Amino acid sequence: LDTTEPRRIRLVHVSPDTDPLDPYVVYGLGDGFSRVRMTGDLRYGGATPYGEVPLRMVIIEAYAVGADPDLVEPMNSQAVYLYEDAPSTTAFAAGLSASPNEEDELRLFSLADAFDTPDAGETLAWVVHTVPNLETLAIDFGDDGSFEALLVRFGANEGEPLVLDADTDLTMVVRDATSTAIIDVFTTPSMGSDRKNFLVLTGIKDGSPGFSLLLVDQDGSQGFTAPN
């Protein structure tokens, strides 16, 4: 799993019932073992800075803020793949730390920061589903009845990032993929053509913290948008 050049990774905290975290990236064995804190006090909706690692597979450990990793076990520890075909990888801490159910428990998953250069007037975005109490979702930009993306829980749209109008507030209709019933409607923040966007559906539908849209780009978290 060695790589010819360092890879970059960051972590976004989108677990709605999980307290602030001290996340660490861990790799190597023996004399080559390293455990590096990604940031301190990572709160819900926040993103760590990118950090460089020399491998394509690492472990991310999530600890309570201030915990000593040499003395206590992590709240969550999971291997994360760094994609070779992208310059960087974004990992997400999602699910519920208090859930007894395997299908919505706290977990980590990663996505490649795979963005080509968009045409003039366009921007690219991956849409990510991390809402623990919603099943597969259909996304309709513009409310025209067509579905631009189908999202399984704890995943993103398949294939390529979506091509959207840049510098425009877009209507984003979230529907149940089975019944096509409207779950909620958002107006996205304006996204420039130079932005590398993740539109993250997060929170708890009809719960607290509530269902919301989190924009994350190459500069980090850009904050929550409430439903219309």
Side-chain angles (χ1 to χ4, degrees), residues 1-220:
L1 294 175
D2 290 344
T3 184
T4 55
E5 59 185 35
R7 316 305 294 175
R8 300 195 309 151
I9 188 169
R10 66 177 173 178
L11 178 69
V12 181
H13 182 345
V14 283
S15 170
D17 74 334
T18 300
D19 290 336
L21 301 170
D22 281 354
Y24 290 76
V25 60
V26 180
Y27 56 89
L29 298 171
D31 293 339
F33 176 82
S34 292
R35 177 187 282 123
V36 180
R37 192 172 75 165
M38 304 173 77
T39 193
D41 196 21
L42 179 64
R43 296 173 179 269
Y44 175 62
T48 71
Y50 282 105
E52 288 192 347
V53 293
L55 299 173
R56 287 186 286 112
M57 184 75 75
V58 299
I59 294 173
I60 292 180
E61 297 178 340
Y63 293 87
V65 172
D68 186 340
D70 291 326
L71 299 177
V72 300
E73 293 293 321
M75 299 168 55
N76 186 275
S77 176
Q78 195 167 327
V80 174
Y81 182 75
L82 281 74
Y83 294 86
E84 188 69 23
D85 58 351
S88 54
T89 295
T90 296
F92 297 86
L96 300 173
S97 59
S99 175
N101 303 315
E102 183 176 339
E103 62 267 21
D104 62 5
E105 66 185 1
L106 181 65
R107 85 253 342 264
L108 301 173
F109 66 93
S110 63
L111 297 172
D113 293 0
F115 297 92
D116 294 326
T117 301
D119 293 335
E122 296 179 340
T123 190
L124 302 178
W126 294 98
V127 186
V128 188
H129 174 10
T130 69
V131 185
N133 64 334
L134 291 178
E135 299 292 339
T136 303
L137 302 176
I139 305 300
D140 174 4
F141 283 98
D143 195 16
D144 59 3
S146 63
F147 296 157
E148 283 77 19
L150 288 176
L151 308 175
V152 298
R153 185 168 48 187
F154 307 126
N157 56 287
E158 294 185 351
E160 302 292 330
L162 300 182
V163 179
L164 303 173
D165 292 334
D167 303 308
T168 304
D169 298 336
L170 302 171
T171 299
M172 177 179 170
V173 181
V174 181
R175 296 178 181 268
D176 179 277
T178 301
S179 69
T180 71
I182 293 178
I183 294 173
D184 241 322
V185 180
F186 294 91
T187 300
T188 71
S190 177
M191 297 171 284
S193 60
D194 63 335
R195 300 289 85 190
K196 300 176 181 179
N197 307 293
F198 290 93
L199 292 168
V200 186
L201 293 165
T202 185
I204 301 173
K205 179 61 177 172
D206 299 324
S208 180
F211 187 36
S212 60
L213 179 67
L214 177 69
L215 173 61
V216 179
D217 63 19
Q218 66 265 46
D219 293 330

